[in-house]
Amino acid sequence: MDIEIVPLPSEKMKTKIVDQSQLGFGKYFTDRMLIVEWKAGQGWCDARIEPYAPFILDPACLVFHYAQEIFEGLKAYKWEDGRVALFRPEMNARRFNQSGDRVCLPPVPEELFLKGIEQLVSLEREWIPTAAGTSLYIRPTLIAVEPVLGVKPSDHYYFYVILSPVGAYYAAGFNPVNILVEDYYVRAVPGGTGEAKTGGNYASSLKAGLEAKKKGYDQVLWLDGRERRYIEEVGAMNMFFAYGRHIVTAPLTGSILSGVTRDSVLKLAPTLGYTVEERQIDVNDLMADIRAGKVTEAFGSGTAAVITPVGKFCYKDEVQQLTGGNVGEVTQRLYDTLTGIQTGRLKDEFGWVRFVE
Ligand code: COI
């Protein structure tokens, strides 16, 4: 499918942020966006890259009422030699359609997903920040836009992609975040939508997040919804625990997100001399292991969060401080290696990088 490029009038071009240390996360958006529509009886149509602008949508659109929507997150990096690299975008394309299947959205052909993103990023390459820890965050989204109040799959959808130059997801940058293990609210249950990247999962996490913030924590760590006993994920990150050189993470049981960065950590860690294990982690055993000094580091992984070290870790009022509040060696090496591959400082032995023409 050809993508029409709608001209961008010079008066619609925005001023770029000069001080990249002030970017934060997801606050600024580039000049253009990609939109492709899907209509019943017609399929995907009207692909265009047009000036970034608000949508005019009927207040009855299904997405506003029944949350029929999904999204993705990936990043583009500008290398020192000027090339623009995407990190494992094929995985995002696949996961997008897996998420979509769960909420009855039409699959976006992988080629359209990738080609649309590449063309948009190529046009917007001047927006890619280059300071350490920055990148261009890519947010593909699919929403139901049929204006009707009956609960049913829509007959009209918008697949759109917006771009945001970003710094670190957490305001503190690459520094330890404080995690509270949530023992009342649950994020997902077996058979639910936990492994889909759909907005409702994030909406239902807000209350626990706010309550945790009041207690001085940055994020909540979810336990499984059946027994409230096994470690799942932190909404914006998968979690890892290092026992010396052995790294453990929760398995993909259907209620947590299958993270691209999670998968990259599992593949990278053995090349750095660490062993990895996906296994159920009972929070009571984990706390005993932390108390006994066996858990030497904890960190989260995610596209936005990259690799984020954990400092304070609290479960049922027991507060433990990991790595003395510093960044541990395993966490640091994984961060350096991953970001090294993403930004071209290190050789990509895995074939993870895809260049934008
Ligand atoms: C991402 O890491 O790309 C996400 O979508 C997480 C989101 C909470 C920012």
Side-chain angles (χ1 to χ4, degrees):
M1 180 188 305
D2 284 337
I3 300 175
E4 182 196 348
I5 313 285
V6 179
L8 174 71
S10 55
E11 69 273 12
K12 286 214 166 149
M13 286 176 82
K14 303 173 190 170
T15 310
K16 297 183 181 63
I17 306 303
V18 181
D19 182 356
Q20 295 183 2
S21 68
Q22 296 306 309
L23 282 173
F25 184 83
K27 295 191 292 185
Y28 305 101
F29 298 95
T30 71
D31 290 319
R32 300 172 175 91
M33 59 187 185
L34 168 78
I35 306 178
V36 192
E37 297 187 44
W38 185 97
K39 292 176 185 160
Q42 199 177 340
W44 292 106
C45 56
D46 299 335
R48 66 228 184 235
I49 291 175
E50 56 183 41
Y52 186 104
F55 289 133
I56 296 176
L57 287 176
D58 193 297
C61 278
L62 283 163
V63 65
F64 296 138
H65 303 272
Y66 309 126
Q68 198 197 2
E69 76 91 46
I70 52 164
F71 67 95
E72 262 305 323
L74 62 158
K75 283 175 172 172
Y77 307 84
K78 193 180 272 173
W79 287 16
E80 237 173 59
D81 62 9
R83 284 185 296 172
V84 172
L86 301 175
F87 186 71
R88 309 186 78 183
E90 307 83 2
M91 282 195 84
N92 298 93
R94 277 197 294 277
R95 190 174 62 182
F96 195 63
N97 286 333
Q98 281 156 8
S99 297
D101 181 62
R102 182 63 184 81
V103 289
C104 297
L105 293 167
V108 176
E110 198 169 313
E111 200 203 321
L112 173 63
F113 184 97
L114 296 172
K115 187 174 141 192
I117 287 175
E118 281 174 10
Q119 283 199 22
L120 180 65
V121 170
S122 182
L123 282 166
E124 300 290 69
R125 60 175 65 224
E126 292 308 316
W127 279 91
I128 307 175
T130 50
T134 66
S135 57
L136 186 70
Y137 185 78
I138 304 167
R139 175 50 67 87
T141 310
L142 179 49
I143 59 172
V145 296
E146 183 187 356
V148 61
L149 295 183
V151 179
K152 66 170 206 70
S154 183
D155 68 7
H156 187 187
Y157 297 95
Y158 284 0
F159 165 54
Y160 66 91
V161 181
I162 53 175
L163 307 176
S164 175
V166 297
Y169 183 66
Y170 296 106
F174 183 61
N175 280 304
V177 293
N178 299 329
I179 299 281
L180 177 67
V181 180
E182 175 58 55
D183 59 5
Y184 176 70
Y185 299 112
V186 294
R187 173 185 172 275
V189 289
T193 57
E195 72 180 340
K197 216 159 165 56
T198 185
N201 290 337
Y202 296 79
S204 65
S205 76
L206 294 175
K207 195 167 169 65
L210 278 184
E211 290 179 11
K213 212 150 243 151
K214 280 191 202 140
K215 296 179 190 158
Y217 292 87
D218 300 293
Q219 294 272 292
V220 299
L221 171 53
W222 301 102
L223 296 176
D224 76 282
R226 202 161 19 197
E227 297 184 63
R228 288 187 180 75
R229 179 169 159 202
Y230 297 105
I231 299 292
E232 296 238 306
E233 63 160 76
V234 173
M237 313 190 285
N238 294 110
M239 278 298 299
F240 289 83
F241 300 91
Y243 288 69
R245 303 182 73 78
H246 186 60
I247 304 171
V248 178
T249 194
L252 301 176
T253 50
S255 51
I256 67 174
L257 194 77
S258 170
V260 176
T261 314
R262 174 188 181 278
D263 183 76
S264 306
V265 167
L266 288 174
K267 294 195 163 79
L268 269 183
T271 69
L272 300 175
Y274 305 125
T275 49
V276 292
E277 185 183 9
E278 295 174 76
R279 67 160 165 86
Q280 286 208 308
I281 304 167
D282 183 320
V283 64
N284 299 297
D285 296 343
L286 179 71
M287 292 309 286
D289 289 345
I290 294 176
R291 253 175 256 133
K294 293 186 194 162
V295 176
T296 43
E297 293 174 45
F299 61 90
S301 70
T303 297
V306 195
I307 303 281
T308 295
V310 172
K312 214 156 71 167
F313 191 84
C314 176
Y315 175 57
K316 288 195 188 294
D317 295 331
E318 178 182 348
V319 182
Q320 294 287 344
Q321 182 79 46
L322 287 152
T323 336
N326 300 312
V327 180
E329 183 197 307
V330 176
T331 309
Q332 184 74 55
R333 283 188 73 203
L334 282 164
Y335 177 86
D336 290 343
T337 310
L338 179 70
T339 56
I341 294 172
Q342 290 168 334
T343 57
R345 270 186 288 111
L346 295 177
K347 193 155 183 264
D348 172 21
E349 307 278 3
F350 295 90
W352 283 341
V353 163
R354 184 177 167 121
F355 292 107
V356 168
E357 294 297 312

mmCIF file of all heavy atoms in Angstrom, residues 25 71-75 92 95 137-139 169 197 202 219 235-237 257 261 301-306, ligand 1:
data_model
loop_
_atom_site.group_PDB
_atom_site.id
_atom_site.type_symbol
_atom_site.label_atom_id
_atom_site.label_comp_id
_atom_site.label_asym_id
_atom_site.label_seq_id
_atom_site.Cartn_x
_atom_site.Cartn_y
_atom_site.Cartn_z
ATOM 1 N N PHE A 25 9.785 12.584 29.431
ATOM 2 C CA PHE A 25 9.239 11.477 28.640
ATOM 3 C C PHE A 25 7.856 11.820 28.081
ATOM 4 O O PHE A 25 6.932 12.105 28.844
ATOM 5 C CB PHE A 25 9.146 10.195 29.471
ATOM 6 C CG PHE A 25 8.690 9.030 28.650
ATOM 7 C CD1 PHE A 25 9.590 8.303 27.885
ATOM 8 C CD2 PHE A 25 7.345 8.695 28.579
ATOM 9 C CE1 PHE A 25 9.168 7.258 27.082
ATOM 10 C CE2 PHE A 25 6.910 7.649 27.780
ATOM 11 C CZ PHE A 25 7.827 6.935 27.028
ATOM 12 N N PHE A 71 -1.737 -0.346 21.921
ATOM 13 C CA PHE A 71 -0.622 0.527 21.526
ATOM 14 C C PHE A 71 0.682 -0.246 21.626
ATOM 15 O O PHE A 71 0.724 -1.373 22.116
ATOM 16 C CB PHE A 71 -0.605 1.811 22.366
ATOM 17 C CG PHE A 71 -0.277 1.601 23.815
ATOM 18 C CD1 PHE A 71 1.022 1.750 24.276
ATOM 19 C CD2 PHE A 71 -1.258 1.255 24.734
ATOM 20 C CE1 PHE A 71 1.328 1.565 25.614
ATOM 21 C CE2 PHE A 71 -0.959 1.075 26.074
ATOM 22 C CZ PHE A 71 0.330 1.232 26.511
ATOM 23 N N GLU A 72 1.731 0.368 21.139
ATOM 24 C CA GLU A 72 3.077 -0.208 21.222
ATOM 25 C C GLU A 72 4.059 0.886 21.606
ATOM 26 O O GLU A 72 3.696 2.073 21.622
ATOM 27 C CB GLU A 72 3.508 -0.812 19.868
ATOM 28 C CG GLU A 72 3.309 -2.303 19.751
ATOM 29 C CD GLU A 72 3.998 -3.095 20.862
ATOM 30 O OE1 GLU A 72 5.097 -2.697 21.270
ATOM 31 O OE2 GLU A 72 3.444 -4.103 21.321
ATOM 32 N N GLY A 73 5.277 0.504 21.907
ATOM 33 C CA GLY A 73 6.330 1.477 22.185
ATOM 34 C C GLY A 73 7.646 0.932 21.660
ATOM 35 O O GLY A 73 8.014 -0.204 21.952
ATOM 36 N N LEU A 74 8.311 1.708 20.825
ATOM 37 C CA LEU A 74 9.654 1.335 20.360
ATOM 38 C C LEU A 74 10.437 2.626 20.161
ATOM 39 O O LEU A 74 9.869 3.708 20.314
ATOM 40 C CB LEU A 74 9.609 0.485 19.096
ATOM 41 C CG LEU A 74 9.015 1.037 17.801
ATOM 42 C CD1 LEU A 74 9.590 0.244 16.620
ATOM 43 C CD2 LEU A 74 7.502 0.903 17.766
ATOM 44 N N LYS A 75 11.724 2.500 19.856
ATOM 45 C CA LYS A 75 12.535 3.714 19.785
ATOM 46 C C LYS A 75 13.418 3.752 18.549
ATOM 47 O O LYS A 75 13.845 2.700 18.042
ATOM 48 C CB LYS A 75 13.443 3.806 21.023
ATOM 49 C CG LYS A 75 12.714 4.251 22.286
ATOM 50 C CD LYS A 75 13.643 4.208 23.474
ATOM 51 C CE LYS A 75 13.005 4.841 24.712
ATOM 52 N NZ LYS A 75 13.847 4.633 25.910
ATOM 53 N N ASN A 92 7.800 -5.679 17.850
ATOM 54 C CA ASN A 92 6.660 -4.815 18.194
ATOM 55 C C ASN A 92 5.501 -5.047 17.230
ATOM 56 O O ASN A 92 4.338 -5.041 17.643
ATOM 57 C CB ASN A 92 7.080 -3.348 18.151
ATOM 58 C CG ASN A 92 8.152 -3.032 19.158
ATOM 59 O OD1 ASN A 92 9.333 -3.085 18.848
ATOM 60 N ND2 ASN A 92 7.766 -2.760 20.389
ATOM 61 N N ARG A 95 3.849 -8.266 18.332
ATOM 62 C CA ARG A 95 3.131 -8.128 19.605
ATOM 63 C C ARG A 95 1.890 -7.248 19.438
ATOM 64 O O ARG A 95 0.861 -7.465 20.077
ATOM 65 C CB ARG A 95 4.062 -7.543 20.672
ATOM 66 C CG ARG A 95 3.461 -7.596 22.058
ATOM 67 C CD ARG A 95 4.440 -7.161 23.105
ATOM 68 N NE ARG A 95 4.856 -5.771 22.927
ATOM 69 C CZ ARG A 95 5.746 -5.171 23.700
ATOM 70 N NH1 ARG A 95 6.325 -5.830 24.679
ATOM 71 N NH2 ARG A 95 6.073 -3.910 23.497
ATOM 72 N N TYR A 137 10.975 8.260 20.722
ATOM 73 C CA TYR A 137 10.014 7.221 21.112
ATOM 74 C C TYR A 137 8.904 7.170 20.075
ATOM 75 O O TYR A 137 8.367 8.199 19.660
ATOM 76 C CB TYR A 137 9.446 7.553 22.499
ATOM 77 C CG TYR A 137 8.540 6.482 23.058
ATOM 78 C CD1 TYR A 137 9.070 5.328 23.618
ATOM 79 C CD2 TYR A 137 7.163 6.626 23.027
ATOM 80 C CE1 TYR A 137 8.235 4.342 24.143
ATOM 81 C CE2 TYR A 137 6.323 5.646 23.551
ATOM 82 C CZ TYR A 137 6.866 4.509 24.104
ATOM 83 O OH TYR A 137 6.050 3.531 24.622
ATOM 84 N N ILE A 138 8.552 5.954 19.676
ATOM 85 C CA ILE A 138 7.558 5.739 18.616
ATOM 86 C C ILE A 138 6.339 5.086 19.244
ATOM 87 O O ILE A 138 6.455 4.058 19.907
ATOM 88 C CB ILE A 138 8.160 4.821 17.523
ATOM 89 C CG1 ILE A 138 9.457 5.436 16.983
ATOM 90 C CG2 ILE A 138 7.158 4.579 16.404
ATOM 91 C CD1 ILE A 138 10.295 4.467 16.137
ATOM 92 N N ARG A 139 5.187 5.670 19.058
ATOM 93 C CA ARG A 139 3.967 5.158 19.692
ATOM 94 C C ARG A 139 2.918 4.784 18.625
ATOM 95 O O ARG A 139 2.103 5.600 18.225
ATOM 96 C CB ARG A 139 3.439 6.220 20.650
ATOM 97 C CG ARG A 139 2.103 5.950 21.333
ATOM 98 C CD ARG A 139 1.988 4.607 21.999
ATOM 99 N NE ARG A 139 2.827 4.346 23.148
ATOM 100 C CZ ARG A 139 2.542 4.639 24.415
ATOM 101 N NH1 ARG A 139 1.438 5.258 24.709
ATOM 102 N NH2 ARG A 139 3.365 4.290 25.385
ATOM 103 N N TYR A 169 12.642 7.713 31.201
ATOM 104 C CA TYR A 169 11.233 7.584 31.597
ATOM 105 C C TYR A 169 11.034 8.090 33.027
ATOM 106 O O TYR A 169 10.073 8.782 33.336
ATOM 107 C CB TYR A 169 10.809 6.122 31.484
ATOM 108 C CG TYR A 169 9.352 5.900 31.813
ATOM 109 C CD1 TYR A 169 8.354 6.422 31.002
ATOM 110 C CD2 TYR A 169 8.971 5.179 32.934
ATOM 111 C CE1 TYR A 169 7.006 6.233 31.299
ATOM 112 C CE2 TYR A 169 7.632 4.973 33.237
ATOM 113 C CZ TYR A 169 6.656 5.506 32.416
ATOM 114 O OH TYR A 169 5.334 5.326 32.718
ATOM 115 N N LYS A 197 -1.138 -5.227 25.181
ATOM 116 C CA LYS A 197 -0.776 -3.836 25.468
ATOM 117 C C LYS A 197 -1.997 -2.976 25.146
ATOM 118 O O LYS A 197 -2.092 -2.339 24.088
ATOM 119 C CB LYS A 197 0.444 -3.442 24.633
ATOM 120 C CG LYS A 197 1.367 -2.519 25.369
ATOM 121 C CD LYS A 197 2.756 -2.515 24.813
ATOM 122 C CE LYS A 197 3.552 -1.328 25.321
ATOM 123 N NZ LYS A 197 3.645 -1.209 26.771
ATOM 124 N N TYR A 202 -3.582 -0.212 31.890
ATOM 125 C CA TYR A 202 -2.857 0.908 32.486
ATOM 126 C C TYR A 202 -3.817 1.755 33.325
ATOM 127 O O TYR A 202 -3.466 2.235 34.399
ATOM 128 C CB TYR A 202 -2.153 1.717 31.389
ATOM 129 C CG TYR A 202 -1.092 0.873 30.700
ATOM 130 C CD1 TYR A 202 -1.429 -0.061 29.724
ATOM 131 C CD2 TYR A 202 0.248 0.961 31.071
ATOM 132 C CE1 TYR A 202 -0.471 -0.877 29.135
ATOM 133 C CE2 TYR A 202 1.216 0.156 30.486
ATOM 134 C CZ TYR A 202 0.851 -0.763 29.514
ATOM 135 O OH TYR A 202 1.805 -1.569 28.944
ATOM 136 N N GLN A 219 6.787 3.089 41.739
ATOM 137 C CA GLN A 219 5.995 2.135 40.960
ATOM 138 C C GLN A 219 5.503 1.017 41.862
ATOM 139 O O GLN A 219 6.139 0.736 42.888
ATOM 140 C CB GLN A 219 6.877 1.468 39.884
ATOM 141 C CG GLN A 219 7.368 2.400 38.811
ATOM 142 C CD GLN A 219 6.403 2.528 37.655
ATOM 143 O OE1 GLN A 219 6.186 1.598 36.910
ATOM 144 N NE2 GLN A 219 5.824 3.693 37.506
ATOM 145 N N GLY A 235 3.862 -2.336 35.825
ATOM 146 C CA GLY A 235 3.213 -1.838 34.602
ATOM 147 C C GLY A 235 4.133 -1.387 33.462
ATOM 148 O O GLY A 235 3.931 -1.781 32.321
ATOM 149 N N ALA A 236 5.158 -0.594 33.760
ATOM 150 C CA ALA A 236 6.014 -0.088 32.687
ATOM 151 C C ALA A 236 7.268 -0.938 32.487
ATOM 152 O O ALA A 236 8.104 -0.613 31.639
ATOM 153 C CB ALA A 236 6.412 1.352 32.979
ATOM 154 N N MET A 237 7.419 -2.027 33.265
ATOM 155 C CA MET A 237 8.658 -2.814 33.171
ATOM 156 C C MET A 237 8.411 -4.279 33.550
ATOM 157 O O MET A 237 7.581 -4.566 34.410
ATOM 158 C CB MET A 237 9.730 -2.302 34.165
ATOM 159 C CG MET A 237 9.956 -0.822 34.211
ATOM 160 S SD MET A 237 11.417 -0.394 35.181
ATOM 161 C CE MET A 237 10.874 -0.640 36.871
ATOM 162 N N LEU A 257 3.251 -8.758 30.315
ATOM 163 C CA LEU A 257 3.651 -8.372 28.961
ATOM 164 C C LEU A 257 4.938 -9.085 28.549
ATOM 165 O O LEU A 257 5.875 -9.195 29.335
ATOM 166 C CB LEU A 257 3.875 -6.854 28.923
ATOM 167 C CG LEU A 257 3.959 -6.290 27.511
ATOM 168 C CD1 LEU A 257 2.563 -6.187 26.902
ATOM 169 C CD2 LEU A 257 4.619 -4.926 27.529
ATOM 170 N N THR A 261 12.441 -5.707 25.629
ATOM 171 C CA THR A 261 13.681 -5.521 26.390
ATOM 172 C C THR A 261 13.913 -6.729 27.298
ATOM 173 O O THR A 261 15.055 -7.167 27.474
ATOM 174 C CB THR A 261 13.618 -4.217 27.220
ATOM 175 O OG1 THR A 261 13.126 -3.172 26.368
ATOM 176 C CG2 THR A 261 14.985 -3.828 27.737
ATOM 177 N N SER A 301 12.976 -3.809 33.198
ATOM 178 C CA SER A 301 13.324 -3.629 31.789
ATOM 179 C C SER A 301 12.082 -3.210 31.018
ATOM 180 O O SER A 301 10.981 -3.678 31.301
ATOM 181 C CB SER A 301 13.859 -4.940 31.208
ATOM 182 O OG SER A 301 12.793 -5.885 31.109
ATOM 183 N N GLY A 302 12.269 -2.327 30.059
ATOM 184 C CA GLY A 302 11.146 -1.886 29.228
ATOM 185 C C GLY A 302 11.674 -0.964 28.146
ATOM 186 O O GLY A 302 12.793 -0.445 28.270
ATOM 187 N N THR A 303 10.882 -0.728 27.116
ATOM 188 C CA THR A 303 11.349 0.175 26.054
ATOM 189 C C THR A 303 11.534 1.570 26.621
ATOM 190 O O THR A 303 12.583 2.196 26.443
ATOM 191 C CB THR A 303 10.348 0.183 24.888
ATOM 192 O OG1 THR A 303 10.309 -1.130 24.347
ATOM 193 C CG2 THR A 303 10.768 1.156 23.807
ATOM 194 N N ALA A 304 10.519 2.070 27.312
ATOM 195 C CA ALA A 304 10.631 3.407 27.889
ATOM 196 C C ALA A 304 11.639 3.408 29.033
ATOM 197 O O ALA A 304 12.490 4.289 29.138
ATOM 198 C CB ALA A 304 9.264 3.874 28.383
ATOM 199 N N ALA A 305 11.558 2.403 29.887
ATOM 200 C CA ALA A 305 12.382 2.363 31.110
ATOM 201 C C ALA A 305 13.808 1.859 30.841
ATOM 202 O O ALA A 305 14.662 1.982 31.716
ATOM 203 C CB ALA A 305 11.715 1.474 32.145
ATOM 204 N N VAL A 306 14.065 1.282 29.671
ATOM 205 C CA VAL A 306 15.357 0.678 29.287
ATOM 206 C C VAL A 306 15.705 -0.379 30.347
ATOM 207 O O VAL A 306 15.024 -1.382 30.477
ATOM 208 C CB VAL A 306 16.471 1.739 29.110
ATOM 209 C CG1 VAL A 306 17.664 1.139 28.367
ATOM 210 C CG2 VAL A 306 15.946 2.958 28.339
HETATM 211 C C1 COI B 1 6.983 1.267 26.837
HETATM 212 O O1 COI B 1 7.924 0.941 27.546
HETATM 213 O O2 COI B 1 7.137 1.514 25.642
HETATM 214 C C2 COI B 1 5.627 1.376 27.362
HETATM 215 O O3 COI B 1 4.712 1.349 26.604
HETATM 216 C C3 COI B 1 5.411 1.585 28.804
HETATM 217 C C4 COI B 1 4.627 2.820 29.066
HETATM 218 C C5 COI B 1 4.121 2.767 30.427
HETATM 219 C C6 COI B 1 5.417 4.055 28.823
#
